Amino acid sequence: MADAAVRTHLELGDIQALVLRGHKELHWASYLFFRVADAAGARTTLRALVDERAITTAAAVILPKHGRPRARVQLALSHAGLTRLGLDEASRKSFAPEFQSGMAEPARSRRLGDRGASAPETWELGGATHALDVLVCLFAPTHHERDELAAQWIERLAPSLALELQQDATPRRGDREHFGFRDGISQPILRGDPTRDHIPEVDRIADGEFLFGYANEYGMLPAAPRTAGGVDLGRNGTYLVFRKLEQDVAGFWRYFHDAAGGVGTEAERLAAKCMGRWPSGAPLSLSPERDDPRLGADDAHNNHFMFLDDDPLGDRCPVAAHIRRANPRDAKSGDREDSIVMVRRRRIIRRGRPYGPPSAHPRPLDGDGARRGLYFIALNTNLGRQFEFVQQTWLNNPKFAGLSNDRDPVVAQDAERGAVSLPGSPFRRRLAGLPSFITVRGGEYFFLPGLKALVRLLDACAS
Amino acid sequence: MSGPYALTVVAPIDSERRAALDAALAEIARDLDGNRLVPFGALGTTHFARFVILPPAPPWARDLLVFESNHDGEPDEYLDHLARVAGAGLDAIFGCCVGWPAGGVADVDAYGAFMRAHRRPAAAFHMGYRGYGKATVKNDLAVYEAVEAWLDEAEPDRSRLAERGAMQLRGRIARDVARRAPKLSLAAAGPSYRTLLIVLLAVPLAPVIFPTYAALALLLRGREQRDPVETVDDPPIAIEELNALHAIEDHVVQNQLTHLAIIKPGRLRRFALRFALWVVNLASRFLYNQGHLGGITSIHFARWVILDDGRLLFLSNYDGSWESYLGEFVDRAHIGLTGVWSHTTGFPRTRFMICDGATDEEAFKRWTRRRQLPTQVWYSSYPESSIDNIRNAIAVREGLRAHCGEKECRAWLTRL
């Protein structure tokens, strides 16, 4: 790179910033979904965005010589969007099958656990309800600027791209999601990310797990999309998973309140057992008995732990706990190295943000009628091996790591017969009758292209 | 008992009766346990089974019907049992194949002759709970559930029970379970399988295996550098075909895989394939008889069958998702699998038969999916139990009355 202080083989000027940064310092975000109303016009409009540098690159937010942009914009396309923009079938077939079929495909719903109240037929976003062709993610420092930015972009893309849906995120309250737990702590970092030296080695992952055009954790270039004529469309791009997850916050705390016999501290302890972290973010693996807000806030220590040696049976952090399922670290198999290698090949980058008002009470027992939840966003180059695997084989799998019939107590949206076992003495305590606290309200798979590849893609759509 | 056993029957389909065959298979698939043709629920010694139709191998023109069963009891006994319980089904199904006796299963001798003529040996066979019959597995799963239920009920008393110690607790559980469920067997009967003896037999084989491998690897080195291979640049399976495979996956705890590859031409290749399968089979019996196959922890039963027409059929019954199963192949067992499938066409580029190949993760998964076939009828005896659950249930039942001290009893309680 031109900047002497930053050395990396990543083409930061071509990569959308979201792959490397979550724009956390910009508290206000909005997700705009557009329908392609006029393919030729839409292609011209999208092309102009690249020429005008309207899409934020990693270079703009990482390289110190740039003035940090006040507002940031990222752009992604769904398979339906590529079709409507005019991309030929042979080229579309080079994209991942998961992306081609879309998130609402019936067998996929079974895999992802999107059934019952979470089934695509009920979705308010995606499914058969909306044409989610183009996704524009906007990030701004203030509420007012975010709203202005959204209005500008709707106008800018009209009329060839028509607004289908606007989804506004709300700022996190102290880094916490709606249930009241600090989240987003354990996050893989691209090996080529030039400014993340303090991250433990185990979280530094091959760039190709998150970007086409670079070697992945198998030492191979991930199978990238390309045109029928062999023009690469993948380089510096990745797949973006968007899911709208509604959270039943009062239901969550009511369940643990009842399971704890009405004792507030015990309710918090049981909920923390199910999460694997205390509300502050302090992991049970390091602080098994009580919350430790100082540890929770200390990013140099709050994610520095393993499971296999200190806690093989889950006496501290239960095997079924959410964070142990989402990232089993060294305890996926009986062998540490083997497990770490396997887990490294299944990481996802998470860029989610909450929506809806925070609850007035930190542990509400009664609903306030407001709808709230998480816009879950994940980035990866292999939807089947990464996002879908984590969802199906780790989070939603009642047989995870030898378990018998346990669900992810926090995020399983498919808990017909939910139960979770918390190891204890002289024997486990089983929390039964565990309802789902999450309902999927919609989602879709998108492709977040590198900027040069976006231009090539638009050219391919036009030919 | 040294079972379970692998039965594979391969018979050419009479194309004029194909519609009747499809209808019969569809009828069975609609109600696996209770259908009138092959009521799997009444086949008390069948662990997993399937009917699957294979496309013809040119120049032959006939589709093939494959029946796979993983069963207890001697093979001849099992064929009698099948005729008694599922005679109508065998007549309806194999009646659509060439050469089925006019008198059907009722013509005992002709039935036996047909089955003998069409049975094909498994070139390699792996089982996850060698030596345990279905009755034992079902019994032990029920014992496990009974113990779990006991613990659920004892929940309010846990602090009082904690004072007593683990040995007393386990004794009380054993007494209560025996009283409440008198039909369950708690007897500590392990498998009759004798690992030690077999390991002693296996050790002298090492000097045979390594020189043979080295010779084959060198002899085939030139060919493996020239053979056409599939890479990630080849188009993936068509989305419609993929969705047809997806549609029959992820309904119960296990999934099935039917995979058909064409063996590369040449006698040396065929010999190398047979050798690789012989080694895998040996490893499965002697090295990996504790529930995993070369690091793959999710296989209940799997077999490779070399068909007369030069194709290699792989049938597997595994826990969890396709991605997790194939992921274990690639992450943990790539040497063995590459050693086998490198002798079939299109397999990703290998070195010395066993290196690379399956480690080209995406190319290998695409290669696998392209050769996967939809399975028309598939039966699992344990739709709610993983192999870990089964092995844990066996250990829980065996530990319920085993002679052991306080420490072992505490460890036993952590299995629940």
Side-chain angles (χ1 to χ4, degrees), chain A residues 120 136 162-163 167 170 186 189 222 237 255 263 276 295 300 330 355 367 381 426 458:
Chain A
V136 173
L163 183 72
Q167 302 280 300
T170 42
S186 182
I189 299 296
Y255 177 82
V263 183
L295 174 64
D330 62 341
Y355 69 88
T381 50
L458 293 169

Side-chain angles (χ1 to χ4, degrees), chain B residues 186-202:
Chain B
L186 308 185
S192 58
Y193 189 68
R194 278 161 298 186
T195 309
L196 183 67
L197 177 69
I198 285 158
V199 166
L200 288 175
L201 284 171

Side-chain angles (χ1 to χ4, degrees), chain B residues 12 55-64 307-311:
Chain B
W60 289 277
R62 291 193 193 280
D63 289 342
L64 300 175
L307 300 180
D308 304 346
D309 55 31
R311 293 182 295 179

Side-chain angles (χ1 to χ4, degrees), chain A residues 110 218 393 399 427-428 430, chain B residues 148 152 321 331 384 389:
Chain A
R110 201 165 53 240
Y218 290 93
T393 302
K399 308 299 180 184
F427 53 85
R428 96 287 188 273
R430 181 148 70 175
Chain B
E148 287 282 12
D152 284 342
S321 62
D331 292 345
E384 297 187 353
N389 293 160

Side-chain angles (χ1 to χ4, degrees), chain A residues 157-211:
Chain A
L157 298 186
S160 57
L161 289 156
L163 183 72
E164 186 85 358
L165 208 60
Q166 175 170 354
Q167 302 280 300
D168 291 335
T170 42
R172 279 172 203 271
R173 197 164 53 178
D175 247 8
R176 295 188 183 198
E177 50 70 53
H178 282 301
F179 292 137
F181 292 78
R182 189 175 168 209
D183 77 342
I185 297 173
S186 182
Q187 192 82 279
I189 299 296
L190 274 74
R191 193 164 280 290
D193 189 329
T195 60
R196 286 288 191 269
D197 294 342
H198 62 283
I199 301 295
E201 175 57 28
V202 69
D203 287 329
R204 302 182 71 90
I205 305 293
D207 308 311
E209 295 292 304
F210 311 110
L211 281 176

Side-chain angles (χ1 to χ4, degrees), chain A residues 9 29-30 43-44 52 70 79 88 125 168 214 260 266 278 281 307 342 351 354 365 380 401 432:
Chain A
H9 53 270
S30 184
R43 290 194 298 263
T44 310
E52 292 159 21
R70 259 187 95 68
H79 184 258
D88 62 289
L125 181 150
D168 291 335
Y214 304 85
E266 175 65 3
W278 296 94
F307 295 121
M342 199 186 149
R351 296 291 187 229
L365 300 181
N380 53 187

Side-chain angles (χ1 to χ4, degrees), chain B residues 143-220:
Chain B
V143 170
Y144 171 83
E145 285 304 328
V147 176
E148 287 282 12
W150 191 97
L151 294 181
D152 284 342
E153 281 171 40
E155 176 67 41
D157 291 335
R158 53 190 295 129
S159 50
R160 202 169 47 75
L161 289 165
E163 294 162 14
R164 301 259 189 93
M167 269 174 87
Q168 254 197 48
L169 184 57
R170 188 195 63 155
R172 201 171 141 190
I173 294 171
R175 276 197 307 281
D176 285 358
V177 169
R179 188 166 45 77
R180 283 189 208 173
K183 285 189 182 156
L184 293 178
S185 162
L186 308 185
S192 58
Y193 189 68
R194 278 161 298 186
T195 309
L196 183 67
L197 177 69
I198 285 158
V199 166
L200 288 175
L201 284 171
V203 168
L205 288 172
V208 178
I209 291 172
F210 291 103
T212 310
Y213 160 69
L216 284 170
L218 288 172
L219 285 169
L220 288 170

Side-chain angles (χ1 to χ4, degrees), chain B residues 213 221 224 334-335 338-339 342 347-359:
Chain B
Y213 160 69
R221 180 67 182 140
E224 80 179 339
H334 54 88
I335 290 178
T338 299
S342 60
F347 195 75
R349 181 74 65 210
T350 56
R351 273 185 306 124
F352 302 110
M353 271 166 56
I354 57 168
C355 299
D356 298 345
T359 59

